[in-house]
Structure formats: structure tokens, C-alpha cells
């Protein structure tokens, strides 16, 4: 989705370990994400975008793909959850915060104490596995924000012993994704799903959940 030139420029100028980026890093990131990436939903790259109409309360989407998922669901939710009657029914916003509810709260993001936050979840994974808890990590394979490639790279740093080698798992008579089982952790991809797996692939998400709760590996055949 971005050029090799931008990819190599990001690797060259960005360390991702410092609190601030260099000007060269900022420009490389800007060019890749704004100029090259295009108007694509990064959380589900093959889904159509939600296009707002002029009155901002009704939405339409282009017929790029024929699918059940409505790309404007998030927009409907923001309108619904900001209705005073809905908030009263949910006992929400009892403190009368001065800004609207949004799916991603930029105010919290801006003022969060990132300096005291962990830079990685891997130490937490190790603690949970040492306590005997089962961990399943899954990624939708059309998500560019938390992509399968990055998740696989992160898991590789745990240096876990493989119990069951990589294989395709099934949902109905179709491949639902791919999985590999390690000592203490299972990794699975969900084919055709984005960041929010149940939205685009509800049946495959249910199989994932049922298998986890049952303590079984994902089905190898249909």
C-alpha cells in the first residue's frame, strides 16, 4: 500500500523508541500514510468507505464490494450513543462531560500518561503464561493498523516452543484462517476480517471463541 522508497525511508529515519521523532521521520510517515496510502479504511482495507451526506446524519456507501457489513456502522453508533435519552437509559455520562462520545477518544489519547505506560505487551504475556493462563492472539488479515505481519513478528520475540505447526483452520467448508500453537499461547489469523473481527466475519469469530473456551485447537477440516 506504500512504496518501497517510503518503507525504506521510515526504517532509516524512525526508531520508534524515542518520545519525539526527527523531522525526517515525520515527513516519511506523513508521505506514506497521507500521500501514498489513499482514502482507505486502514482497519479493513478491502471494505468500502462510509461517505457522509450533506446533512451529516445519514450515510451512504459505494458499491465497491457486496457484503453484509455496513461501513457506516461506526457513524450510526456515534449518533446513537450521543443521544441524551440513550445515555440516560445506559446511566452513561453522569458527570456531564463537555465533549461527545466517539469511538476513538482523541482527548484521552492526548492526555494519557504514555511515559508510565508499557511499550510492549510481551512482558505481560510472559507473566500470564507463567501463571498458567491460556492466551490466544488473533489478527484479521485485512487490518493494516494491527497487521498479521506485525503480530507474528511480536510473537516471534517470545521465542516460544511450537506445539502444533502452522495449519489452515476451517469455518464451514471454507478456510477460516491459519493458526500455530505454542507452549502457553495460540496465534490465529482470521481470513477476510479486519480490525474488528466479529463485524466482518461473525461466524469465524464465533468458532474462534468457542474453540478458546473449550480449550481445543481450531478445527482442521469441515
Amino acid at each position: 500500500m506504500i512504496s518501497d522508497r517510503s518503507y525504506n525511508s521510515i526504517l532509516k529515519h524512525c526508531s520508534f523508541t524515542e518520545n519525539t521523532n526527527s523531522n525526517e521521520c515525520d515527513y516519511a510517515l506523513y508521505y506514506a500514510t497521507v500521500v501514498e496510502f489513499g482514502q482507505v479504511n486502514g482497519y479493513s482495507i478491502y471494505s468500502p468507505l462510509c461517505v457522509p451526506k450533506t446533512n451529516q446524519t445519514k450515510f451512504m456507501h459505494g458499491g465497491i464490494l457486496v457484503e453484509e457489513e455496513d461501513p457506516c456502522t461506526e457513524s450510526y453508533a456515534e449518533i446513537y450513543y450521543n443521544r441524551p435519552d440513550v445515555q440516560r437509559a445506559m446511566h452513561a455520562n453522569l458527570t456531564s462531560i463537555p465533549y461527545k462520545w466517539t469511538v476513538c477518544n482523541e482527548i484521552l489519547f492526548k492526555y494519557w500518561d504514555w511515559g508510565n505506560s508499557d511499550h510492549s505487551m510481551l512482558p505481560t504475556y510472559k507473566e500470564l503464561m507463567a501463571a498458567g493462563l491460556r492466551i490466544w492472539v488473533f489478527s484479521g488479515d485485512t487490518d493494516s493498523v494491527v497487521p498479521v505481519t506485525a503480530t507474528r513478528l511480536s510473537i516471534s520475540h517470545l521465542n516460544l516452543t511450537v506445539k502444533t505447526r502452522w495449519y489452515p483452520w476451517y469455518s464451514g467448508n471454507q478456510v477460516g484462517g491459519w493458526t500455530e500453537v505454542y507452549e502457553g499461547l495460540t496465534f490465529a489469523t482470521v481470513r477476510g476480517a479486519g480490525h474488528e473481527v466479529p463485524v466482518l466475519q461473525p461466524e469465524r469469530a464465533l468458532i474462534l471463541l468457542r474453540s478458546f473456551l473449550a480449550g481445543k485447537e481450531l478445527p482442521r477440516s469441515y
Side-chain angles (χ1 to χ4, degrees):
M1 301 180 75
I2 66 172
S3 66
D4 290 343
R5 180 175 178 176
S6 286
Y7 174 75
N8 290 325
S9 181
I10 291 169
L11 291 183
K12 178 180 179 180
H13 297 296
C14 302
S15 68
F16 298 108
T17 57
E18 305 294 332
N19 291 328
T20 57
N21 294 328
S22 66
N23 291 334
E24 292 82 3
C25 174
D26 283 340
Y27 179 76
L29 292 171
Y30 164 81
Y31 197 88
T33 57
V34 176
V35 178
E36 293 182 340
F37 194 82
Q39 296 297 312
V40 172
N41 179 359
Y43 293 97
S44 181
I45 62 175
Y46 297 118
S47 294
L49 285 176
C50 177
V51 181
K53 288 185 176 180
T54 53
N55 63 9
Q56 297 298 313
T57 59
K58 295 181 180 179
F59 298 82
M60 60 181 179
H61 63 86
I64 300 174
L65 296 174
V66 178
E67 57 184 359
E68 294 181 5
E69 183 257 348
D70 187 339
C72 297
T73 298
E74 186 175 300
S75 301
Y76 306 148
E78 289 201 7
I79 294 171
Y80 182 72
Y81 289 131
N82 279 296
R83 282 173 39 178
D85 60 322
V86 172
Q87 292 184 355
R88 284 194 300 271
M90 296 177 67
H91 306 284
N93 195 17
L94 299 177
T95 56
S96 301
I97 56 175
Y99 48 85
K100 291 185 176 181
W101 180 89
T102 57
V103 173
C104 291
N105 192 309
E106 295 297 330
I107 294 176
L108 289 179
F109 183 84
K110 180 179 179 181
Y111 292 107
W112 183 261
D113 186 6
W114 295 105
N116 289 321
S117 299
D118 291 332
H119 290 286
S120 172
M121 281 296 294
L122 297 186
T124 303
Y125 285 0
K126 291 179 180 178
E127 290 179 14
L128 295 175
M129 286 186 288
L133 297 178
R134 292 182 297 112
I135 298 176
W136 280 37
V137 178
F138 60 91
S139 287
D141 62 11
T142 68
D143 179 10
S144 72
V145 178
V146 185
V148 167
T149 48
T151 306
R152 291 179 67 176
L153 178 64
S154 297
I155 291 174
S156 72
H157 289 296
L158 290 171
N159 296 314
L160 300 174
T161 301
V162 176
K163 288 178 58 180
T164 304
R165 288 184 58 179
W166 187 269
Y167 69 89
W169 63 272
Y170 281 81
S171 169
N173 59 358
Q174 300 290 331
V175 171
W178 289 263
T179 182
E180 189 157 67
V181 182
Y182 305 91
E183 291 286 350
L185 183 145
T186 294
F187 171 65
T189 73
V190 183
R191 181 167 165 251
H195 193 73
E196 297 162 326
V197 169
V199 174
L200 280 169
Q201 294 293 339
E203 181 179 332
R204 293 172 187 177
L206 182 58
I207 291 172
L208 196 76
L209 179 61
R210 282 178 171 169
S211 298
F212 170 74
L213 293 176
K216 297 180 179 180
E217 294 185 1
L218 286 159
R220 293 174 174 270
S221 64
Y222 57 87

